[in-house]
Amino acid sequence: MRQFPVTAAMLIVLGGVLPLLMGGWLFLAGIVMSLPHLTLVLLTYGGCLLPFYGAMNWGFLACKPTIILPKRESLRDKRAILLGCFAFLWGWLAMGVGASGSLKIGFALEIGGFLSLILLERLANRHGDFPPGYFLVRVISSILCVIGFTLALLSPQGQF
């Protein structure tokens, strides 16, 4: 099995902490002052972070030591490609809807995207697609993101 990607894991955890902190700030400081730019920054960050999480699947696919290329993709390869595509398209949709329509709907779509990606990656993890320990890091990071986006969604500032 592949070695655990420590550097990628640290980036993923840091990526999950930032939305938690920004969402908490929106929730707490939104009572006192309007923070419309910070809400848009957080929405955009989430729209970029979700595809990054999906691209990790493509990275695992690309680092596969294949000397002779198979005639067709394996089921594992198809799962990695589909997970990456799902995350990319869902993040784009959430960011587009949130920026052009309602920020609340955008945050709700991002929350749904992170939760869906956890469930889909859980299935991939059961089939041994990830190095040991990687999925736990992803779950923790995604839960931190979901909490941060939920706090931003519930922010009382009324600037949505």
Side-chain angles (χ1 to χ4, degrees):
M1 189 54 156
R2 298 174 291 239
Q3 187 175 358
F4 185 72
V6 176
T7 305
M10 289 188 310
L11 288 173
I12 286 172
V13 169
L14 288 175
V17 170
L18 188 60
L20 174 66
L21 296 176
M22 288 176 71
W25 181 251
L26 281 170
F27 186 77
L28 295 175
I31 298 169
V32 179
M33 67 185 85
S34 173
L35 302 167
H37 298 298
L38 188 57
T39 57
L40 192 57
V41 167
L42 182 58
L43 178 79
T44 306
Y45 184 74
C48 294
L49 188 62
L50 189 60
F52 171 75
Y53 282 7
M56 292 300 297
N57 293 290
W58 292 342
F60 287 133
L61 179 63
C63 75
K64 188 171 64 172
T66 304
I67 297 173
I68 300 173
L69 295 175
K71 293 182 181 178
R72 301 178 70 189
E73 293 90 12
S74 68
L75 188 57
R76 173 184 269 178
D77 296 347
K78 289 178 185 178
R79 276 193 303 266
I81 291 168
L82 290 175
L83 278 172
C85 288
F86 165 77
F88 174 77
L89 293 173
W90 195 267
W92 176 76
L93 173 74
M95 193 167 53
V97 168
S100 63
S102 168
L103 286 171
K104 281 192 171 199
I105 294 173
F107 283 128
L109 286 172
E110 287 180 351
I111 291 167
F114 278 99
L115 292 175
S116 298
L117 196 59
I118 288 174
L119 294 175
L120 292 171
E121 286 187 341
R122 182 173 181 241
L123 295 173
N125 189 52
R126 285 186 174 180
H127 290 97
D129 290 359
F130 302 126
Y134 173 78
F135 181 68
L136 178 63
V137 171
R138 282 282 293 112
V139 168
I140 292 169
S141 177
S142 293
I143 288 172
L144 291 173
C145 287
V146 167
I147 292 170
F149 293 127
T150 303
L151 289 172
L153 180 68
L154 299 175
S155 175
Q157 65 177 326
Q159 291 296 319
F160 295 93

